[in-house]
Amino acid sequence: MRPSSSTLLAVGLLLAPALALAQDSSWMDGAASAPAAVSETAAKAKGTKVHKPDALLSEDRVWVELEAPDKGARSRIANSGFAIEAVNGTKVSGIAGPAALQRLEGLGLRILKKTPLRTISPEDFPPADSAYHNFTRLDAELKGIASLAPELTSLFSIGSSVQGRPITALRLNSSERGTQASRKPGAVFLGTHHAREHISTEVVLGVARWIVENRKRADVAKLLQERDVYFIPLVNPDGSEYDIATGRYRWQRKNMAKNSDGSVGVDLNRNYDWLFGGVGTSDYPGDDTYHGPRAFSEPESRAVKQFCEARPNLKTLISYHSYSALVLYPWGGVEEPISDPRALKAYKNMAEKMASWTGYTAEQSSDLYPATGDMTDWSWGALKIFSFTIELGPASGGAGGFYPGPSVIKPEIQRNVQPVLYLIDLADDPYRAADMTLSAAAPAAPAAALAR
């Protein structure tokens, strides 16, 4: 997530429906090993203080609000390893464990509020949020979408997660199937790098279904005849499953890698090889923005890398996140704008056009604070794919934040159909957006047509 300046998370009363962390610190598929438990017991018997990494101390994490009078202060906060999740004027908010909180206190900035996550008790994924797709239901839904148009669709795995779950892509191409190479201009849309951002899975999945169901409409049919389109709804399946595994949300952001200090997880959207390990990331494995031991250390980010590198026809891309209602374009890792003036103009025009349809705000990703190693900086910088990070709604934590409930699914899908069609259309030559006016037409996606 990368928040807008209008974003405010008011914890407790305003975080509705906010979701509770499970009190246990176990994680899926046997991540906590028996030897670690034995050594901890032995250490306690000797009276030795046992260090538990922040990522395993779910009961000790807090929502923090602190003063940040300017962009420089926000950058210092981000560089401390703290994941800024909300910005409101001169205040920022986010989640911190004990070690991260100690570093924040050392910055000399006034901490305004600390709210234990365990006190935030929202509704559960099942049944209140059962409209969202867990891993099993996602697999079934992807197969269901593919079955609607076997002449157009194919499914394949781009790689596997830490715990061995496939990362599935749905391909729409009228002539090539599976991993076959194509000369058609390509576009790709990805969801859920960050585990707790479940709405991003729903939007990628829902837009894919809308396009398949409307494949015979003249404008959509033309695009599908001429383009090579991919939807990857769930980049971080392990983290997403862990977030919902106990029936109470765990506020998980990272994947489920075992770190050297015993903590869990790497921030996949800080693990790409573009200014890796720089500003806006953390060297501390327990932090939410921990970048990992090296660029592309994680099987999930490597899978995305290899997928993109193997397809030189890819020209446009969206990585969906939540929340804040933003359309962001590179750079995120540096404050300077893109040096190619024509590319920059195309980016700005595309972002403004998509913002006009969605009601989101368009801006350069680093406008609030820099963050290095993210996917869209890498895909633009390394591969020259015109890449956007879209922070879906809601615009603020007061409207639900990471866990806004099922009522937002349909409206968020509806808002994003037209931007997806727009980027599919532009995949033949994204630079032509530099010459477009913001009133330029794009394939229409009337609200009435969105059945799901």
Side-chain angles (χ1 to χ4, degrees):
M1 163 191 171
R2 296 192 53 103
S4 74
S5 56
S6 62
T7 301
L8 173 61
L9 249 175
V11 180
L13 292 176
L14 286 182
L15 194 57
L19 301 186
L21 279 157
Q23 295 301 305
D24 69 288
S25 60
S26 62
W27 53 287
M28 279 188 71
D29 298 341
S33 66
V38 171
S39 62
E40 181 176 328
T41 302
K44 286 180 178 177
K46 294 178 181 179
T48 305
K49 184 176 180 180
V50 179
H51 169 68
K52 291 184 179 181
D54 287 355
L56 298 181
L57 284 171
S58 59
E59 68 275 17
D60 287 344
R61 293 197 294 165
V62 295
W63 185 268
V64 183
E65 181 180 305
L66 67 161
E67 283 190 338
D70 52 35
K71 186 174 182 179
R74 294 194 296 271
S75 294
R76 286 166 55 208
I77 291 167
N79 287 335
S80 77
F82 181 68
I84 296 176
E85 304 291 7
V87 176
N88 182 50
T90 61
K91 301 175 185 178
V92 301
S93 305
I95 297 169
L101 183 59
Q102 188 174 27
R103 293 195 299 275
L104 281 179
E105 290 169 343
L107 296 177
L109 298 169
R110 189 158 66 100
I111 293 178
L112 304 171
K113 186 183 295 184
K114 293 183 289 188
T115 306
L117 289 183
R118 66 177 179 271
T119 68
I120 303 172
S121 267
E123 299 299 320
D124 174 26
F125 205 69
D129 287 351
S130 59
Y132 288 83
H133 290 77
N134 64 16
F135 182 79
T136 300
R137 293 196 298 272
L138 172 66
D139 180 68
E141 175 69 359
L142 285 169
K143 289 175 181 175
I145 294 171
S147 71
L148 296 175
E151 76 287 355
L152 174 69
T153 64
S154 53
L155 294 169
F156 65 96
S157 173
I158 70 167
S160 298
S161 66
V162 167
Q163 295 175 348
R165 293 183 176 88
I167 301 168
T168 303
L170 170 68
R171 185 182 192 182
L172 308 184
N173 189 308
S174 61
S175 52
E176 283 81 39
R177 297 288 181 271
T179 60
Q180 291 178 326
S182 179
R183 293 185 178 181
K184 296 178 180 179
V188 59
F189 306 92
L190 307 96
T192 316
H193 271 76
H194 293 147
R196 59 195 175 212
E197 299 172 12
H198 303 285
I199 185 62
S200 65
T201 294
E202 301 306 315
V203 166
V204 175
L205 192 62
V207 172
R209 174 174 276 278
W210 187 94
I211 290 175
V212 171
E213 289 179 343
N214 289 274
R215 64 192 179 278
K216 295 183 180 179
R217 228 176 65 172
D219 53 348
V220 177
K222 184 175 187 296
L223 287 179
L224 293 176
Q225 186 65 31
E226 298 174 352
R227 299 289 186 267
D228 186 28
V229 185
Y230 300 86
F231 295 92
I232 305 173
L234 186 54
V235 173
N236 185 2
D238 298 347
S240 180
E241 286 292 281
Y242 174 75
D243 193 49
I244 63 173
T246 66
R248 302 181 71 189
Y249 290 112
R250 285 163 150 167
W251 302 80
Q252 179 71 5
R253 174 183 171 99
K254 302 185 288 182
N255 74 350
M256 298 304 292
K258 299 179 185 180
N259 296 325
S260 60
D261 69 344
S263 65
V264 177
V266 168
D267 184 340
L268 295 177
N269 207 39
R270 301 292 185 272
N271 192 237
Y272 288 83
D273 194 10
W274 199 256
L275 302 179
F276 172 79
V279 297
T281 67
S282 177
D283 296 332
Y284 298 92
D287 287 345
D288 265 6
T289 58
Y290 175 53
H291 48 60
R294 60 191 176 280
F296 295 119
S297 61
E298 306 311 296
E300 298 92 345
S301 57
R302 286 200 305 275
V304 174
K305 171 184 184 288
Q306 291 161 4
F307 169 86
C308 292
E309 288 178 338
R311 291 164 178 81
N313 64 320
L314 292 177
K315 300 301 178 186
T316 55
L317 176 155
I318 294 176
S319 176
Y320 286 98
H321 290 256
S322 72
Y323 58 95
S324 284
L326 297 169
V327 180
L328 303 174
Y329 55 89
W331 301 111
V334 296
E335 295 184 14
E336 293 75 20
I338 292 169
S339 59
D340 177 347
R342 185 164 170 77
L344 181 60
K345 183 66 183 300
Y347 260 119
K348 287 184 175 181
N349 281 356
M350 283 188 271
E352 291 290 346
K353 190 66 177 174
M354 290 189 286
S356 73
W357 284 316
T358 58
Y360 304 160
T361 298
E363 60 188 346
Q364 183 172 322
S365 192
S366 63
D367 278 353
L368 291 179
Y369 62 90
T372 53
D374 89 334
M375 186 204 172
T376 51
D377 271 14
W378 170 80
S379 53
W380 169 249
L383 304 177
K384 288 297 176 280
I385 300 170
F386 277 78
S387 303
F388 296 86
T389 296
I390 287 188
E391 295 282 357
L392 298 163
S396 76
F402 294 121
Y403 305 113
S407 64
V408 306
I409 296 175
K410 185 175 178 179
E412 287 304 304
I413 293 170
Q414 184 173 308
R415 290 185 185 98
N416 282 277
V417 168
Q418 195 139 331
V420 167
L421 294 176
Y422 178 58
L423 287 196
I424 293 172
D425 179 50
L426 282 172
D428 64 332
D429 179 15
Y431 283 93
R432 62 188 172 91
D435 303 321
M436 291 181 176
T437 63
L438 293 183
S439 60
L450 189 62
R452 295 176 62 89

